[in-house]
Amino acid sequence: MRILLLLLSPLASAQDLSCVGCIGGTKKCIGDTTIQMLDDDDCVPCLKRSGKWTWPCNVEGLCWCWDSSKPKYKPALTSGLEPALTKPCDIFTEEMFDKIAPNAVHPYTYEGLCDTIEMLNERYDEKIFMMGTLQQQKQEWAAFLGHTTHESAQYTASREALVCARTVEKNAGTFCKPCDNNNFDWENRYCEVSLVANGQFYEDYCDKIVTPPYGCVCGPTTEVDSENLSGLINPNAVFFGRGAIQLSWNSNYIKASQVLAESADTLCTQPDLVATEPKYAWGTALWFWMFSTPSPGEQTNCHIKALEGSFGSTLRIINGGLECPPDAYGYHAEAVVTRLRYYCIAATVMEVRLMDFNGCEGLGDAFDRCVKTGFCPECNDHYGNPTMEPSLAPAPRMPTPKPTEWGSWRGEDWLTTMTRGNSAVKSVSSLFGSLTIAMAVALVVV
């Protein structure tokens, strides 16, 4: 497969976020307590290059230079590219949005997406979907849209299904009924037996060891009321998957809150805002895209990898532990298929060719199989010869290789099987369903 390669200028070092030369006027070298606990005075040695070999200066990004005349926003990692002249939503139009997600529901509004992007781009020198060439802008858009339409079932699911497929409105409040896979009716999207029934408790996505400023306070959650609200929990007490990239875990909610709400308390005390407000439904996905790194000290993110031309590397950051490579016989092998289909749709709408699949073990082979067996009809025009037909005849249960209407996957029975996939790996993955499509998609936040 031939992939269009993008030329990227050398990436700026993470040292650009350091305090070397951060002296005079309103500049001040301060510490990032979301990484490690420290005082600003600990960062004083970082003003000199000789201090870079000792703590805390030897921890990338732990100390950074703040201009106190401006709001205290830590700079995003830099791509080394120049900002583009064309604004993101002048490239990705509302008409394109409607093509990619014709059944999108609140909080996934086009206006909310553009407003949130503009808010963040006004704040940071490194711009979302607005760095480098027009081609790079379009390809970053395609990658982001491919991942997020997969995670949110084409922007129809704002909450993780196993925890809150249906909200229950009672006593002027909103509640959820958490479930396990064995007791969840995927066809009707109904939980038969609550995980908090009979005095049990729910504590998924809660790392109790991680406390502020590293994570929101969390703990075991029980049913609200054993009589009137039996089996129901308060959604604002738990940190399950929500939003366009299904943000999960108390450690991620506090970090996203510090960027989007300017206060750690906002999403720590009201995490369900991510499922109800466009700013947070989109903003948490954009935060992850721009600020979440694969591991401590690894100074890259999805934004940079997309600009480098690697879709595979963006998937490694998002869900590499489960999809790079996926279990050949498990749910995530099928989840990769839906992710690739959505990515091909996004690339077609954005009128760009696919980026390379390097950086995610097995993804290139998965793409080849997906097209050749007819599972990915939306990808046919992106595979080598644009008119290429699959070389293997589809089995009776396989989708036809003929391109289908986007959003018409309801009749494909293999997707029904996906909704009953094993969601036991609670640490980074769960299932949730589409409100309009009989399918499940993988939780990605790591």
Side-chain angles (χ1 to χ4, degrees):
M1 170 182 178
R2 294 184 178 90
I3 299 292
L4 179 65
L5 296 178
L6 298 178
L7 295 177
L8 185 68
S9 62
L11 294 180
S13 166
Q15 197 69 11
D16 290 345
L17 295 177
S18 76
C19 291
V20 174
C22 184
I23 53 178
T26 56
K27 292 183 178 180
K28 181 179 181 181
C29 184
I30 63 175
D32 184 350
T33 57
T34 66
I35 299 177
Q36 291 182 20
M37 185 61 69
L38 78 167
D39 295 324
D40 290 343
D41 289 343
D42 294 327
C43 294
V44 172
C46 306
L47 295 170
K48 299 180 180 179
R49 293 189 181 277
S50 59
K52 68 179 182 179
W53 307 110
T54 58
W55 185 90
C57 317
N58 60 351
V59 179
E60 295 282 10
L62 184 53
C63 294
W64 60 282
C65 187
W66 171 46
D67 183 344
S68 59
S69 66
K70 301 178 181 179
K72 190 185 289 186
Y73 298 125
K74 184 179 179 180
L77 293 176
T78 177
S79 63
L81 296 171
E82 291 295 322
L85 297 177
T86 307
K87 291 186 176 182
C89 287
D90 288 341
I91 297 172
F92 180 57
T93 65
E94 188 167 9
E95 181 181 2
M96 292 175 173
F97 179 84
D98 291 339
K99 285 182 179 180
I100 286 177
N103 301 307
V105 299
H106 191 83
Y108 301 119
T109 65
Y110 176 76
E111 181 181 7
L113 171 61
C114 294
D115 287 347
T116 307
I117 291 171
E118 186 173 352
M119 176 192 75
L120 293 173
N121 280 349
E122 287 179 354
R123 181 187 304 173
Y124 297 104
D125 292 334
E126 185 72 19
K127 313 296 184 185
I128 306 169
F129 314 126
M130 198 176 165
M131 302 300 293
T133 66
L134 180 61
Q135 182 79 350
Q136 286 171 309
Q137 288 180 267
K138 289 183 175 182
Q139 291 207 310
E140 184 183 9
W141 260 122
F144 176 82
L145 294 167
H147 286 305
T148 54
T149 49
H150 167 74
E151 298 304 329
S152 63
Q154 284 183 301
Y155 307 136
T156 63
S158 61
R159 296 181 181 90
E160 184 182 336
L162 284 180
V163 186
C164 201
R166 294 182 183 179
T167 56
V168 178
E169 309 294 332
K170 281 189 176 182
N171 300 341
T174 299
F175 304 95
C176 295
K177 190 176 184 180
C179 202
D180 63 28
N181 196 47
N182 295 328
N183 291 307
F184 191 77
D185 182 345
W186 284 102
E187 183 175 354
N188 297 304
R189 297 177 55 79
Y190 177 74
C191 179
E192 297 175 356
V193 180
S194 172
L195 286 175
V196 295
N198 302 316
Q200 299 183 81
F201 57 86
Y202 179 87
E203 59 177 348
D204 288 0
Y205 307 116
C206 169
D207 188 340
K208 294 186 288 292
I209 298 177
V210 179
T211 57
Y214 308 112
C216 303
V217 174
C218 64
T221 301
T222 58
E223 60 186 354
V224 178
D225 186 320
S226 59
E227 296 182 5
N228 297 327
L229 300 171
S230 177
L232 301 178
I233 61 172
N234 176 0
N236 281 315
V238 286
F239 300 94
F240 57 84
R242 298 177 176 93
I245 211 161
Q246 289 292 285
L247 185 77
S248 63
W249 290 94
N250 58 318
S251 57
N252 283 324
Y253 273 83
I254 196 170
K255 292 174 185 176
S257 187
Q258 288 164 341
V259 170
L260 300 170
E262 304 176 23
S263 168
D265 292 338
T266 302
L267 294 185
C268 282
T269 57
Q270 302 177 78
D272 214 45
L273 287 174
V274 181
T276 60
E277 295 294 329
K279 173 183 176 180
Y280 299 111
W282 291 119
T284 50
L286 295 168
W287 164 79
F288 186 90
W289 194 258
M290 289 292 291
F291 290 93
S292 184
T293 59
S295 60
E298 191 171 353
Q299 298 298 299
T300 191
N301 52 37
C302 290
H303 164 70
I304 289 174
K305 288 301 182 183
L307 291 173
E308 290 178 333
S310 177
F311 180 79
S313 293
T314 64
L315 177 52
R316 180 179 70 87
I317 294 171
I318 291 170
N319 206 28
L322 295 174
E323 296 184 37
C324 297
D327 178 355
Y329 303 101
Y331 159 74
H332 287 94
E334 295 176 327
V336 166
V337 171
T338 65
R339 191 182 295 276
L340 288 169
R341 292 179 75 173
Y342 280 128
Y343 176 42
C344 288
I345 289 172
T348 298
V349 171
M350 297 306 301
E351 298 182 344
V352 292
R353 298 191 65 182
L354 303 184
M355 295 186 287
D356 72 52
F357 297 132
N358 296 334
C360 177
E361 182 182 350
L363 186 59
D365 292 337
F367 179 77
D368 289 343
R369 289 193 302 271
C370 197
V371 175
K372 290 178 180 179
T373 56
F375 272 113
C376 294
E378 297 84 0
C379 298
N380 285 353
D381 290 346
H382 293 280
Y383 187 84
N385 184 348
T387 60
M388 177 181 179
E389 291 293 331
S391 59
L392 301 177
R397 292 182 66 252
M398 291 182 178
T400 171
K402 180 181 178 181
T404 59
E405 291 294 326
W406 301 335
S408 64
W409 301 358
R410 181 184 295 276
E412 299 182 10
D413 60 354
W414 69 282
L415 284 169
T416 304
T417 303
M418 287 180 60
T419 65
R420 294 170 174 79
N422 183 4
S423 63
V425 187
K426 300 288 188 177
S427 61
V428 289
S429 174
S430 66
L431 302 176
F432 64 95
S434 164
L435 303 180
T436 57
I437 302 170
M439 64 173 293
V441 290
L443 178 68
V444 301
V445 173
V446 290

